[in-house]
């Protein structure tokens, strides 16, 4: 591994740890959940450079947050959905793609119980890159079953894929 690759891996690891820390703290206090969403909506509203790295990082974090937990306050939740729907109408930029992805994450999270744990590194990386998780399940008889599933999938949904 050359020095440049090591720096990229270290930066990615730091980024993941920061995301886990922020979401973990937010998940433990309702007022922080609402505040995280309000700040992310503020950061993703009318950005002068919709395809900039910074804006897309805000969008990827918003999509991830939508796949983990939703605002507790119903007004904030409605505002979030309106924000996602408005931004989803953009079919030109990456911002619009993230908004549509975040809206799908929102809808999937809506019907689930509240999570207890922050997302794993793999879950974070797959969600912010808008790609499915690929996993192998190894069985006692030596066989395995490979499946792809959405990062916001529930355990029940993954079990159905494995069966």
């Amino acid at each position: 591994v050359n020095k440049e690759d090591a720096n990229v891996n270290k930066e990615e690891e730091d980024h993941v740890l920061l995301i886990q820390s922020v979401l973990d703290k937010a998940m433990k206090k309702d007022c922080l959940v609402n505040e995280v969403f309000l700040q992310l909506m503020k950061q993703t509203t009318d950005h002068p450079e919709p395809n900039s790295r910074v804006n897309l990082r805000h969008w990827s974090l918003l999509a991830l947050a939508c796949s983990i937990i939703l605002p507790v306050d119903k007004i904030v939740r409605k505002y979030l959905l309106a924000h996602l729907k408005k931004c989803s109408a953009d079919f030109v930029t990456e911002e619009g793609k993230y908004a549509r992805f975040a809206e799908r994450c929102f809808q999937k999270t809506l019907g689930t119980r509240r999570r207890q744990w922050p997302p794993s590194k793999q879950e974070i990386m797959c969600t912010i890159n808008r790609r499915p998780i690929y996993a192998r399940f190894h069985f006692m008889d030596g066989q395995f079953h490979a499946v792809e599933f959405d990062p916001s999938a529930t355990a029940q949904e993954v079990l159905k894929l494995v069966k």
Side-chain angles (χ1 to χ4, degrees):
V1 179
N2 67 32
K3 194 173 185 176
E4 191 173 304
D5 286 344
N7 285 342
V8 168
N9 288 343
K10 174 80 171 105
E11 185 178 312
E12 182 180 286
E13 194 68 36
D14 289 347
H15 185 69
V16 166
L17 288 172
L18 180 61
I19 290 170
Q20 285 174 322
S21 176
V22 167
L23 290 175
D24 184 42
K25 288 185 178 28
M27 289 166 67
K28 291 177 179 161
K29 289 195 100 177
D30 288 352
C31 64
L32 291 179
V33 172
N34 293 327
E35 188 60 30
V36 164
F37 278 102
L38 289 168
Q39 290 301 319
L40 286 169
M41 286 185 280
K42 182 178 177 183
Q43 294 297 320
T44 55
T45 299
D46 298 327
H47 197 281
E49 295 178 46
N51 284 326
S52 70
R53 184 170 180 247
V54 169
N55 190 44
L56 296 180
R57 275 211 162 171
H58 292 145
W59 271 106
S60 65
L61 184 55
L62 181 56
L64 178 65
C66 286
S67 73
I68 304 299
I69 193 167
L70 295 177
V72 181
D73 186 313
K74 286 187 170 135
I75 294 170
V76 176
R77 192 178 287 193
K78 281 183 177 181
Y79 184 68
L80 171 62
L81 190 55
H83 176 65
L84 295 176
K85 285 189 180 303
K86 176 185 173 266
C87 296
S88 291
D90 173 1
F91 286 93
V92 178
T93 65
E94 283 294 304
E95 183 177 86
K97 289 179 186 175
Y98 268 111
R100 287 186 293 282
F101 180 71
E103 188 177 355
R104 282 194 308 275
C105 291
F106 177 100
Q107 295 300 341
K108 282 198 79 168
T109 305
L110 200 54
T112 61
R113 286 189 336 201
R114 188 165 174 162
R115 277 178 71 140
Q116 301 301 309
W117 307 104
S120 68
K121 178 181 180 180
Q122 184 180 21
E123 191 177 356
I124 290 170
M125 297 311 295
C126 288
T127 303
I128 65 178
N129 291 308
R130 298 185 315 246
R131 67 173 196 261
I133 292 176
Y134 175 81
R136 281 185 177 187
F137 293 86
H138 294 267
F139 300 101
M140 298 298 283
D141 63 2
Q143 294 186 37
F144 71 89
H145 188 67
V147 294
E148 274 190 3
F149 53 92
D150 211 41
S152 60
T154 63
Q156 186 177 14
E157 290 168 336
V158 175
L159 281 174
K160 281 182 186 173
L161 292 172
V162 174
K163 286 184 177 180

